[in-house]
Amino acid sequence: MIDNETVSIDRIIENLIYLHPLLSKSLTRSIRSKTNLNPGSLYILGMLSKHEILSMSEIGCKLSMPKPHVTGQVDKLIAEEMVERLFDPNDRRIVNIRMTDKGKEDFIAIKQEVSQDMRERIEKLDEHKLKTLFDSTQVVRDILSDIMTDSKLTTCAKFHE
Amino acid sequence: MIDNETVSIDRIIENLIYLHPLLSKSLTRSIRSKTNLNPGSLYILGMLSKHEILSMSEIGCKLSMPKPHVTGQVDKLIAEEMVERLFDPNDRRIVNIRMTDKGKEDFIAIKQEVSQDMRERIEKLDEHKLKTLFDSTQVVRDILSDIMTDSKLTTCAKFHE
DNA sequence: ATAAATAGTTATACTTTTGTAACCAAATTC
DNA sequence: GAATTTGGTTACAAAAGTATAACTATTTAT
């Protein structure tokens, strides 16, 4: 009772399961050795550099990160003056987070640092593979970003577009 | 002094940094809630299902996992009778790991379980996006798998093909 | 034959992340 | 206007991953 579609999905899942530790290890290791940030706070920066402004809940939702953890990671980023809290005048419970100018600069430098090792490997690819890799990461990112926002948490439902 | 190639690499890195937590959270959460395995041991299974037989060092190398951690994770998999130790007659120091038949069956079931949530989301994609996602994950997997095996660890050098 | 290197295990301490529960303040509902 | 819900924080326990060093057994090198 397995049709082509199901098989395809299985392969996608398998690819993602295989892919994950590859990214995980190469990224998180250099995050720790080369920055004073946790991996978690770097992911928050990544989200903020795409979405500009996010509330605490939205961050937790988009990264499937428990709320208390978001608080802790954002605290660290604030201590580094990389993000700032913006209080929402319409709903004073909501804490919006935005990167500071310093944060944006730092993030560029950090990405450079963190990815140094990966960069050296990618640089060795020929033009065609490089293009293919670029296109493919873009597709995977866009599609997963679209479907993976966690809707299982009821508190996340409202953030779905 | 930034040429097109460099820009492209930056975007690739950015995509991967963005991608990582998306995978991480959706996979690791359900691994824990739906299986009695750690994420780490599942990654080992993923590697073994591709490479058939790997020594302890090769596993640590391919997953950039510290050796003591590999030992612990493999111990758990052995306790579950999902993998077995094979002692190398040519070099009795080497411990080779291979999935058992039970392990292969279980792994299929576990992948099914673990990815249930992701699967439901992917299923909603139209035929074209599904195909694109499949192709792209395949490309990213193949290329990263190729370049990401950790060559920084001297002990890993010999496992490079 | 002895010394050095390698593969793996054990032990331990530490960091990061996850999960819960209790809590406050603000908003909403009735 | 009292009760409930929501957004966020605090505090704490537990799980998972990482780092390091010490150790055994085996192989390689000299």
Side-chain angles (χ1 to χ4, degrees):
Chain A
M1 260 336 173
I2 295 176
D3 59 358
N4 283 337
E5 208 175 80
T6 308
V7 171
S8 233
I9 292 180
D10 277 336
R11 292 288 302 277
I12 292 173
I13 301 284
E14 197 161 312
N15 287 339
L16 295 179
I17 289 181
Y18 189 93
L19 197 54
H20 176 245
L22 258 43
L23 291 179
S24 178
K25 309 303 173 172
S26 65
L27 287 180
T28 58
R29 170 176 301 183
S30 51
I31 290 171
R32 252 191 306 247
S33 62
K34 295 185 176 175
T35 76
N36 43 359
L37 294 176
N38 294 344
S41 29
L42 204 68
Y43 304 148
I44 292 178
L45 292 181
M47 275 297 162
L48 287 173
S49 72
K50 174 162 190 190
H51 291 96
E52 210 73 33
I53 291 182
L54 292 171
S55 73
M56 299 296 283
S57 298
E58 286 172 308
I59 291 172
C61 167
K62 288 188 181 298
L63 294 173
S64 299
M65 206 181 260
K67 271 162 46 163
H69 195 207
V70 176
T71 301
Q73 299 302 295
V74 167
D75 281 349
K76 286 190 180 178
L77 290 171
I78 286 174
E80 302 280 337
E81 296 180 345
M82 296 182 70
V83 306
E84 56 189 345
R85 287 196 165 89
L86 303 171
F87 293 92
D88 192 322
N90 299 325
D91 185 339
R92 289 183 301 171
R93 293 170 303 178
I94 295 178
V95 177
N96 288 306
I97 307 297
R98 183 175 60 188
M99 286 175 87
T100 61
D101 288 340
K102 175 179 183 305
K104 290 175 190 170
E105 285 172 34
D106 288 357
F107 188 46
I108 292 173
I110 288 174
K111 277 189 294 190
Q112 195 81 17
E113 275 289 335
V114 158
S115 61
Q116 192 52 45
D117 173 65
M118 198 188 286
R119 180 180 309 273
E120 284 166 16
R121 298 160 193 256
I122 293 178
E123 275 170 355
K124 297 201 182 86
L125 295 173
D126 61 56
E127 192 65 33
H128 175 254
K129 274 195 172 177
L130 195 69
K131 176 87 174 71
T132 313
L133 182 61
F134 172 69
D135 292 340
S136 302
T137 56
Q138 192 69 44
V139 166
V140 178
R141 169 183 171 158
D142 288 343
I143 295 184
L144 285 193
S145 159
D146 191 36
I147 65 178
M148 273 309 168
T149 300
D150 196 342
S151 62
K152 281 289 174 61
L153 302 175
T154 52
T155 50
C156 279
K158 72 167 60 169
F159 300 128
H160 262 172
E161 58 272 67
Chain B
M1 261 328 176
I2 296 178
D3 59 357
N4 283 336
E5 209 176 79
T6 309
V7 172
S8 234
I9 292 181
D10 278 337
R11 292 287 301 279
I12 292 173
I13 302 283
E14 196 162 313
N15 287 340
L16 295 178
I17 289 180
Y18 189 94
L19 196 55
H20 176 245
L22 257 44
L23 291 179
S24 178
K25 309 304 172 176
S26 63
L27 287 179
T28 59
R29 171 177 299 184
S30 51
I31 290 170
R32 251 190 309 247
S33 62
K34 294 184 177 175
T35 76
N36 44 359
L37 294 177
N38 295 342
S41 30
L42 203 69
Y43 303 147
I44 292 178
L45 292 181
M47 275 296 162
L48 287 173
S49 71
K50 175 163 190 193
H51 290 96
E52 210 70 36
I53 290 183
L54 291 171
S55 72
M56 299 296 282
S57 298
E58 286 172 307
I59 292 172
C61 168
K62 288 188 181 300
L63 294 174
S64 297
M65 209 181 258
K67 272 160 49 160
H69 195 208
V70 176
T71 300
Q73 300 302 295
V74 167
D75 281 349
K76 286 192 180 175
L77 290 171
I78 287 174
E80 301 281 338
E81 295 179 346
M82 296 181 72
V83 306
E84 56 189 344
R85 287 195 166 91
L86 304 171
F87 293 93
D88 192 323
N90 300 324
D91 184 340
R92 288 183 303 173
R93 293 170 302 179
I94 295 178
V95 177
N96 289 305
I97 307 298
R98 183 175 61 189
M99 286 177 84
T100 61
D101 289 340
K102 176 179 183 303
K104 290 174 189 170
E105 285 172 34
D106 289 357
F107 188 45
I108 292 172
I110 288 174
K111 278 189 293 190
Q112 195 81 18
E113 276 288 334
V114 158
S115 62
Q116 192 50 46
D117 173 64
M118 198 189 287
R119 182 180 308 272
E120 284 166 15
R121 298 160 194 256
I122 293 178
E123 275 170 356
K124 296 201 181 85
L125 295 173
D126 61 56
E127 193 64 34
H128 174 255
K129 274 194 172 179
L130 195 68
K131 177 87 174 71
T132 312
L133 182 61
F134 172 69
D135 293 339
S136 302
T137 56
Q138 192 69 44
V139 166
V140 178
R141 169 183 172 159
D142 288 342
I143 296 184
L144 286 193
S145 160
D146 191 35
I147 65 177
M148 272 310 167
T149 299
D150 197 340
S151 60
K152 281 289 174 63
L153 301 176
T154 53
T155 50
C156 279
K158 70 167 61 170
F159 300 127
H160 262 173
E161 56 274 64

